[in-house]
Amino acid sequence: MSSEYAIEARGLAKSYGDVHALRGVDLYAERGSMLALLGPNGAGKTTVIRILTTLLIPDGGTATVGGHDVVRAAARVREVIGLTGQEMSVDGLLTGRENLVMMGRLFHLGKAAARQRADDLLEQFDLTEAAGRQARWYSGGMRRRLDLAVSLITAPPVIFLDEPTTGLDPRSRQGMWEVIRKLMADGTTILLTTQYLEEADILADRVALIDGGGVVAEGTPGDLKRRIGSERIEFQFATDDVAEKAQLLVGGAVLHGNGLSVPAADPAEVRHLINRVADAGFDATGLEIRRPTLDDVFLTMTGQTEGATL
Ligand SMILES: Nc1ncnc2c1ncn2[C@@H]1O[C@H](COP(=O)(O)OP(=O)(O)O)[C@@H](O)[C@H]1O
Ligand SMILES: [Mg+2]
């Protein structure tokens, strides 16, 4: 079975006992692009990745990776993918270099070729200095980079990254983004899962929002930002009643008690919206401007039409 997409899934369903982890997931990623699967804990992201990487058989639906069916041609799929899971897969007692060389040998590279590949990857992932140290002494960010390097030994054209930056400090996260960008520049197709809106926005060509085992919206990061705004204005009013009236003046606002959360595309629109509310005679008792969070995305998306295209 061939597909024009590097990754394509239709109607994927999976239950664990009576937990319906996936309830019909549709996804696609064009060759050489990055799709970010964005969703909170428990949304079903890892389950999608496990099915697409042949580690788990779906109860329903079909999927292809590199044109191969993930169930009927699982061995072919494994030849074209790399996977970096949420848990560390490297051996802590081996050095960074030893981990990479061992993996290269496992994939039938000759001794010299395995060493060369290890050195190239250590360099690419900024681990040359730490190459001779046991992996158990690596920082969180270094460990994730080594994990990623190990999954790239065979230079697979499609890679899956399951929350590669969760729990990393901001600097390590930036380092991870840099190496992911290099992979993208090489034309690798990437499916990345994340709980960070900012990460999906910065890296991905397309974003699929997943919640409760289903894709609730999908589109480009630009589409996403147009819907939720790249800034949010938080108004507080004296009473719920005033907040409700102010809501009628602005588009896409979310009301919570006497608070009103309003999306804005840019600083100019922030000013414009604040003025509009003030000019209409609604005095805000509190005012705050902040970046949108994943919660805002879901409030905005799922509070409106389900399954909408952004
Ligand atoms: N092995 C399992 N047994 C039972 N329930 C599971 C198992 N794996 C995941 N789940 C449940 O399935 C749902 C989706 O989990 P998961 O795919 O890991 O989500 P995410 O990766 O987005 O956090 C959650 O409710 C989770 O508790
Ligand atoms: Mg997960």
Side-chain angles (χ1 to χ4, degrees), residues 41 45-47 86 162-163 193:
N41 240 330
K45 303 182 295 298
T46 297
T47 304
Q86 271 179 282
D162 199 2
E163 298 198 28
T193 72

Side-chain angles (χ1 to χ4, degrees), residues 4-8 28-36 52 64-67 80-83 148 152 155-161 180 182-192 205:
E4 60 179 305
Y5 298 113
I7 301 169
E8 185 170 19
Y28 68 94
E30 279 172 40
R31 283 172 212 282
S33 75
M34 179 192 283
L35 171 69
L52 294 177
T64 61
V65 173
V80 299
I81 61 168
L83 165 66
L148 178 53
L152 296 176
V158 182
I159 70 168
F160 294 87
L161 302 174
I180 291 171
K182 282 186 206 156
L183 291 177
M184 294 169 70
D186 290 343
T188 310
T189 305
I190 302 175
L191 190 154
L192 168 146
D205 298 298

Side-chain angles (χ1 to χ4, degrees), residues 15-281:
S15 297
Y16 302 101
D18 51 14
V19 178
H20 299 295
L22 302 182
R23 308 161 179 269
V25 167
D26 298 326
L27 287 177
Y28 68 94
E30 279 172 40
R31 283 172 212 282
S33 75
M34 179 192 283
L35 171 69
L37 204 51
L38 176 66
N41 240 330
K45 303 182 295 298
T46 297
T47 304
V48 168
I49 286 207
R50 289 176 62 81
I51 291 171
L52 294 177
T53 55
T54 78
L55 298 173
L56 195 65
I57 293 178
D59 302 335
T62 57
T64 61
V65 173
H68 311 295
D69 186 283
V70 296
V71 177
R72 284 176 293 152
R76 302 290 300 277
V77 170
R78 279 183 222 127
E79 284 168 15
V80 299
I81 61 168
L83 165 66
T84 304
Q86 271 179 282
E87 261 120 62
M88 177 168 164
S89 59
V90 301
D91 186 335
L93 294 177
L94 297 182
T95 68
R97 180 179 282 111
E98 285 166 348
N99 267 292
L100 287 163
V101 171
M102 185 187 72
M103 201 51 84
R105 299 289 283 159
L106 228 62
F107 280 101
H108 311 299
L109 294 182
K111 243 186 209 158
R115 276 204 212 113
Q116 184 59 56
R117 182 75 183 135
D119 283 341
D120 291 348
L121 286 165
L122 288 165
E123 173 77 40
Q124 188 182 346
F125 290 95
D126 199 17
L127 290 168
T128 303
E129 227 170 273
R133 256 186 283 152
Q134 285 182 325
R136 60 176 163 159
W137 304 120
Y138 283 18
S139 70
M142 290 160 74
R143 233 177 280 163
R144 296 281 176 89
R145 296 207 299 279
L146 180 60
D147 257 334
L148 178 53
V150 164
S151 69
L152 296 176
I153 281 284
T154 58
V158 182
I159 70 168
F160 294 87
L161 302 174
D162 199 2
E163 298 198 28
T165 66
T166 296
L168 294 186
D169 60 74
R171 218 175 115 245
S172 307
R173 184 172 299 162
Q174 301 256 355
M176 199 67 187
W177 289 348
E178 250 167 64
V179 303
I180 291 171
R181 281 214 184 90
K182 282 186 206 156
L183 291 177
M184 294 169 70
D186 290 343
T188 310
T189 305
I190 302 175
L191 190 154
L192 168 146
T193 72
T194 183
Q195 301 190 32
Y196 305 115
L197 178 60
E198 183 195 14
E199 182 160 288
D201 177 23
I202 286 177
L203 294 174
D205 298 298
R206 299 190 72 78
V207 183
L209 285 176
I210 179 170
D211 192 26
V215 173
V216 291
E218 71 94 31
T220 66
D223 297 333
L224 192 66
K225 280 199 289 195
R226 269 191 291 283
R227 282 280 293 275
I228 54 154
S230 51
E231 323 262 349
R232 310 262 336 170
I233 315 167
E234 300 294 335
F235 290 100
Q236 296 283 328
F237 296 98
T239 65
D240 297 9
D241 190 48
V242 179
E244 249 172 73
K245 285 184 181 133
Q247 185 188 21
L248 302 174
L249 288 175
V250 291
V254 177
L255 190 66
H256 34 86
N258 65 337
L260 190 64
S261 177
V262 183
D266 51 41
E269 196 180 4
V270 169
R271 262 196 314 277
H272 171 76
L273 288 167
I274 292 172
N275 287 338
R276 181 187 294 178
V277 169
D279 291 349

